[in-house]
Amino acid sequence: MPSEKSPVFRKPVIPWYQSKTAYSIMVVFMLVVFLVGLTGISVSREIEEYNGYLWMPAVLVILSLWLMITNIIRLIRRYTSKA
């Protein structure tokens, strides 16, 4: 027999990768990648043989910064919507 209750009042199921914990962990890991990228930029500027490889740590810095910003925005939106 089908259930008599309406499914409208159920809370939506949020996947684990859209939880506050997952976003926070992602921000921490991207902060580490950001710092590694900055270190790579400083090393590639100091050593002339590595000047051609400056693009790789720069890409790491840009992408990790972009992910950190988007995840922080998501965390802020989630925090403000609950309060």
Side-chain angles (χ1 to χ4, degrees), residues 26-67:
M26 178 74 81
V27 168
V28 169
F29 280 134
M30 287 301 107
L31 181 63
V32 171
V33 172
F34 181 78
L35 294 175
V36 167
L38 288 179
T39 305
I41 288 174
S42 68
V43 167
S44 67
R45 294 179 110 198
E46 289 177 4
I47 302 173
E48 288 185 27
E49 299 158 350
Y50 295 153
N51 283 343
Y53 300 107
L54 181 65
W55 63 272
M56 188 62 199
V59 168
L60 284 175
V61 166
I62 291 168
L63 291 177
S64 64
L65 186 63
W66 178 69
L67 282 173

Side-chain angles (χ1 to χ4, degrees), residues 24 55 72:
S24 302
W55 63 272
I72 289 171

